[in-house]
Amino acid sequence: MVKVFSLLKNPTKINGAKVGTYAIVIVSIAYFFVANGGYIAGGNGQNSSILDVLSNTEKPFHKIIMTNFGDTWGGTYFHLITISKLAMVIVLLGAYPLQLHPTRDSIITFLSIIFKNNIFRNNPRVVEVLITSIMTITVFIESLYKIKYIFVMKLIASTASCYIMFTLPSIAYIYSQNKVKLFDYTSKGILIGSILFSICSTYLLLHEK
C-alpha cells in the first residue's frame, strides 16, 4: 500500500483511502462470487479449484440449477462462472505486484551485499526491470506445470520463510557497525545453519516421492 500511495498523482490521505477502499470492494465482490458459489456447489474439503467445481456438469449442483431454472436461465446463471474467473484474474493481477515489489527489493539488497557492485546504485532502474522480468518469467514457466499446493507451501517454508526469518537478519547483524562478539558468532552460526537447513530441506522436498 505504501508503494501504491507513493505512485499516486496526488498522494493525499483521502486519495490513498479511496484507492484502498476501491481495492477492498473489488476483491470482496470477487471472493463473494467465488467462495459462496464454490461452497454451495461442493461443500467443504475441495481438492480442486472452486471454479472447476462450479463448471463441472456432473456435480449435483449443476443438475439442480438446470432442472429448476431451465436451459435458458440456468445457462445464464453459469455465466457467473466466467465472471468469477475474470474476478480471480483481477485479484491475482492485484496481488502479484504486492508480492513482487518486496521480493524484488529483497533480492536486490541481498545481491548488493554479496557483490558490493556499484551497478545496483548507478543503474537501479535497469536492475529492477531485469529482476522483475526474471521473476515474472520464472513464475510463468512454473505455472505451466501441475504443481501441488502442499509442495509450494513446503518450498516457501524451506526457502523464503527461512531466509526472511533467519538468513537475512543474521547477515544484517554481521555487516552492522556496532557488534557484540557473542552475538556476532551466534549470527554466523544462524546464517550457516539456516542456509544448510534450506539446502537440505529443499533437496529432500525435490526428491520426495
Side-chain angles (χ1 to χ4, degrees), residues 102-127:
T103 306
R104 180 202 63 195
D105 293 342
S106 297
I107 292 174
I108 293 175
T109 302
F110 191 71
L111 292 176
S112 63
I113 292 174
I114 295 176
F115 296 105
K116 297 181 180 179
N117 198 324
N118 290 329
I119 187 174
F120 298 102
R121 297 178 181 176
N122 298 335
N123 304 286
R125 190 59 181 170
V126 174
V127 175

Side-chain angles (χ1 to χ4, degrees), residues 77-143:
Y77 176 83
F78 281 99
H79 283 304
L80 290 176
I81 298 172
T82 304
I83 296 176
S84 297
K85 289 181 178 180
L86 291 173
M88 287 301 296
V89 170
I90 294 173
V91 171
L92 292 174
L93 287 175
Y96 181 67
L98 295 177
Q99 299 291 332
L100 178 64
H101 283 298
T103 306
R104 180 202 63 195
D105 293 342
S106 297
I107 292 174
I108 293 175
T109 302
F110 191 71
L111 292 176
S112 63
I113 292 174
I114 295 176
F115 296 105
K116 297 181 180 179
N117 198 324
N118 290 329
I119 187 174
F120 298 102
R121 297 178 181 176
N122 298 335
N123 304 286
R125 190 59 181 170
V126 174
V127 175
E128 288 179 357
V129 172
L130 180 62
I131 297 297
T132 302
S133 300
I134 293 174
M135 292 175 60
T136 304
I137 293 171
T138 302
V139 171
F140 176 75
I141 293 174
E142 290 176 349
S143 67

Side-chain angles (χ1 to χ4, degrees), residues 83 115 148 167 202:
I83 296 176
F115 296 105
K148 293 182 179 180
T167 307
T202 303

Side-chain angles (χ1 to χ4, degrees), residues 6-203:
S6 65
L7 294 176
L8 291 177
K9 184 177 181 180
N10 186 17
T12 62
K13 292 182 179 180
I14 295 177
N15 288 338
K18 286 181 180 179
V19 172
T21 302
Y22 294 153
I24 292 172
V25 170
I26 293 173
V27 172
S28 298
I29 293 173
Y31 278 120
F32 176 82
F33 279 117
V34 176
N36 285 279
Y39 283 120
I40 293 172
N44 294 322
Q46 298 296 333
N47 57 4
S48 60
S49 170
I50 292 177
L51 296 177
D52 291 336
V53 173
L54 284 172
S55 59
N56 189 347
T57 57
E58 299 300 321
K59 288 283 184 179
F61 175 73
H62 184 276
K63 296 176 181 178
I64 291 172
I65 293 296
M66 298 304 290
T67 301
N68 287 277
F69 294 96
D71 293 338
T72 302
W73 286 105
T76 302
Y77 176 83
F78 281 99
H79 283 304
L80 290 176
I81 298 172
T82 304
I83 296 176
S84 297
K85 289 181 178 180
L86 291 173
M88 287 301 296
V89 170
I90 294 173
V91 171
L92 292 174
L93 287 175
Y96 181 67
L98 295 177
Q99 299 291 332
L100 178 64
H101 283 298
T103 306
R104 180 202 63 195
D105 293 342
S106 297
I107 292 174
I108 293 175
T109 302
F110 191 71
L111 292 176
S112 63
I113 292 174
I114 295 176
F115 296 105
K116 297 181 180 179
N117 198 324
N118 290 329
I119 187 174
F120 298 102
R121 297 178 181 176
N122 298 335
N123 304 286
R125 190 59 181 170
V126 174
V127 175
E128 288 179 357
V129 172
L130 180 62
I131 297 297
T132 302
S133 300
I134 293 174
M135 292 175 60
T136 304
I137 293 171
T138 302
V139 171
F140 176 75
I141 293 174
E142 290 176 349
S143 67
L144 299 177
Y145 298 91
K146 292 183 178 180
I147 301 176
K148 293 182 179 180
Y149 177 76
I150 187 65
F151 173 81
V152 175
M153 296 306 297
K154 288 182 178 180
L155 184 62
I156 291 174
S158 62
T159 54
S161 297
C162 180
Y163 299 147
I164 292 172
M165 291 189 293
F166 300 104
T167 307
L168 293 179
S170 60
I171 291 175
Y173 185 82
I174 291 171
Y175 281 91
S176 63
Q177 298 297 326
N178 300 320
K179 295 186 292 185
V180 178
K181 185 174 291 187
L182 175 62
F183 294 153
D184 185 41
Y185 287 130
T186 303
S187 297
K188 291 178 180 178
I190 293 174
L191 174 62
I192 296 172
S194 61
I195 293 175
L196 289 175
F197 170 81
S198 178
I199 293 173
C200 293
S201 58
T202 303
Y203 175 82

